[in-house]
Amino acid sequence: MIYFDNSATTKPYQEVLDSFLKVSSTYFGNPSSLNGLGGQAEKLLTQARGQIADLLHVKATEVFFTSGGTESNNLAVKGTALMYKQKGRHLITSSIEHPSVSKAMEQLEDNGFEVTYLPVDNEGRVQLEDVEKAIRNDTILVSIMHVNNEVGTIQPIKEIGNLLKKYPHVLFHVDAVQGMGKLHLNLHEFGVDLCSFSAHKFHGLKGTGALFIREGIMLAPLLSGGEQESRIRSGTENVAGAVAMAKALRINFEQSEIGIRKMEKIHNILKAGFDKIEGIQIHTPTKHAAFHILNFSIPGIKSEAFIHSLELEEIYVSTTSACSSKKKSPSKTLLAMGVSRPSADSAIRISLSYENTEEEATTVVDAVNRVSEQLRKVMNLK
């Protein structure tokens, strides 16, 4: 089996599963309880928070546990809007954000906020001048993803962060779900105020994530209840999940130097192989793109038919993002990049992890070539 759908989710490390089981079975107390078991759980939660903060070079008090990327993005976007609505009701984002940002923005529009959706160029990149043109006196937030989840384009986060230093009334949120552990992101140096990430994208477990909130920034909580996480996020903390996430992030960071070089080689093998296949169009840009994502299409062949044909050979890839793949609608990212509707309808996303191999890449190139020829014959395509 070849698993090339790591942007949808990754396989948890065995050490992560062991750690989750150990904490769940031995230290199962509620960290808010005053008894000894609660105290043990609270200690583990504090340790996990500190470990993640050390890895990100931020303070432990700036790390807030959530249920994952979607909750972190919603908390960042809506929490900012609700907290600072007296200062302004205008927000800026791009036209290719993950639905957990774009849908949150749409909800805010329904409630009287204004949102500017920035265009992207033909490589899926936001232009710095467009960000600055969109800023108004009543702008309170700019939210831009680090790595596009469909084509892998890396956004100019450092440049946007530097730009926003001229506009201290505007907060900067980065959805780093696809980049965490695979790309360098210095939150303080890049001027990031809020940053979302999700454990299952770096071999942690689903249902765990976090939001970095720069010291001094207040957000309106979205959940009412026990006022956990310094009153930002109510709900009994997932201690085992947080401990497992800290372990997954540490292992990921330890492997990143070798792992990124390994993914670059695999990416290049795939791209060189696909370049030789008749009719194939590669949408991932050659520069300023993450090595772990490669998006391509073969016009005339529906992506759904293609991925199921590959699946018969035990090769697992995806169409667009996992959150949109069952909607049978073309990729909004590709359309925003100016890709034609027929090409967008046939888009395939390959996404890698440190655990993939060059041999797997060679096998996938051969399979893509063979399957595309078979489907062309069946569909009477030239």
Side-chain angles (χ1 to χ4, degrees):
M1 189 266 279
I2 297 177
Y3 184 71
F4 272 11
D5 193 18
N6 290 283
S7 286
T9 195
T10 53
K11 181 181 179 181
Y13 293 129
Q14 186 58 51
E15 298 95 319
V16 166
L17 294 171
D18 293 343
S19 145
F20 182 85
L21 183 60
K22 175 70 175 176
V23 175
S24 297
S25 58
T26 306
Y27 305 101
F28 55 85
N30 187 324
S32 297
S33 294
L34 295 177
N35 59 46
L37 280 176
Q40 291 175 339
E42 184 183 24
K43 185 178 179 182
L44 286 174
L45 193 67
T46 300
Q47 288 176 349
R49 197 187 311 278
Q51 290 165 358
I52 291 171
D54 288 344
L55 290 167
L56 300 180
H57 303 295
V58 301
K59 297 178 181 178
T61 52
E62 296 176 315
V63 176
F64 295 81
F65 292 118
T66 68
S67 62
T70 291
E71 185 186 339
S72 295
N73 283 339
N74 270 266
L75 178 56
V77 172
K78 296 177 187 172
T80 298
L82 296 175
M83 176 59 71
Y84 299 103
K85 60 185 178 183
Q86 301 303 325
K87 292 186 176 180
R89 300 176 75 87
H90 178 241
L91 303 92
I92 299 170
T93 190
S94 82
S95 54
I96 60 167
E97 296 297 311
H98 186 272
S100 57
V101 169
S102 60
K103 295 293 183 185
M105 293 285 183
E106 291 172 13
Q107 280 188 304
L108 291 173
E109 287 182 290
D110 292 339
N111 287 278
F113 289 85
E114 289 183 73
V115 180
T116 297
Y117 297 91
L118 302 174
V120 294
D121 63 15
N122 59 7
E123 294 189 336
R125 191 169 295 110
V126 169
Q127 300 302 299
L128 196 61
E129 54 268 30
D130 288 337
V131 178
E132 185 155 31
K133 285 179 186 173
I135 295 173
R136 312 186 325 203
N137 290 333
D138 63 341
T139 303
I140 55 174
L141 179 72
V142 171
S143 178
I144 302 291
M145 60 181 14
H146 187 196
V147 175
N148 179 264
N149 54 315
E150 296 182 69
V151 298
T153 302
I154 301 171
Q155 299 299 341
I157 298 303
K158 184 176 182 179
E159 291 79 4
I160 295 173
N162 284 333
L163 168 70
L164 292 179
K165 289 176 182 174
K166 295 192 297 182
Y167 304 92
H169 62 289
V170 182
L171 297 183
F172 185 25
H173 168 240
V174 175
D175 172 2
V177 167
Q178 288 294 341
M180 183 60 66
K182 300 182 179 72
L183 290 172
H184 174 65
L185 181 64
N186 189 317
L187 297 172
H188 286 298
E189 180 188 341
F190 290 9
V192 177
D193 297 305
L194 306 160
C195 181
S196 306
F197 55 98
S198 180
H200 75 102
K201 305 294 189 182
F202 49 83
H203 304 280
L205 300 175
K206 299 173 186 66
T208 51
L211 178 66
F212 160 77
I213 305 176
R214 187 169 56 79
E215 189 174 51
I217 292 174
M218 298 293 294
L219 297 182
L222 304 185
L223 303 176
S224 303
E227 300 184 343
Q228 287 89 348
E229 294 299 295
S230 301
R231 301 181 180 178
I232 291 293
R233 197 268 186 185
S234 292
T236 302
E237 295 95 337
N238 180 357
V239 178
V243 171
M245 177 166 63
K247 177 156 285 191
L249 193 61
R250 178 180 59 77
I251 296 173
N252 201 272
F253 275 38
E254 288 173 352
Q255 297 180 350
S256 64
E257 187 174 347
I258 295 174
I260 290 171
R261 286 204 301 269
K262 186 177 175 184
M263 290 196 304
E264 180 181 7
K265 288 181 180 177
I266 296 171
H267 181 102
N268 290 339
I269 290 171
L270 290 168
K271 188 172 181 307
F274 291 166
D275 280 339
K276 296 175 183 174
I277 299 175
E278 183 185 356
I280 202 164
Q281 297 176 352
I282 296 178
H283 305 299
T284 297
T286 54
K287 294 182 179 179
H288 305 299
F291 293 124
H292 65 283
I293 296 177
L294 187 63
N295 188 300
F296 66 95
S297 61
I298 303 175
I301 300 177
K302 289 287 186 183
S303 51
E304 189 173 347
F306 201 90
I307 64 168
H308 287 313
S309 295
L310 286 178
E311 193 174 331
L312 294 176
E313 303 196 21
E314 295 195 39
I315 295 172
Y316 296 89
V317 299
S318 63
T319 52
T320 59
S321 71
C323 297
S324 305
S325 59
K326 292 184 178 178
K327 294 179 181 176
K328 296 184 178 179
S329 56
S331 158
K332 70 173 185 178
T333 299
L334 293 177
L335 295 178
M337 291 166 60
V339 174
S340 68
R341 174 68 187 255
S343 290
D345 280 337
S346 64
I348 301 292
R349 180 186 69 180
I350 282 176
S351 50
L352 310 172
S353 80
Y354 299 159
E355 298 188 336
N356 289 123
T357 66
E358 296 177 33
E359 291 74 22
E360 289 179 330
T362 302
T363 300
V364 168
V365 169
D366 291 341
V368 167
N369 191 23
R370 186 170 56 256
V371 167
S372 63
E373 284 185 8
Q374 291 169 352
L375 291 175
R376 282 175 183 279
K377 288 179 183 176
V378 171
M379 301 173 73
N380 291 319
L381 295 174
K382 290 183 179 179

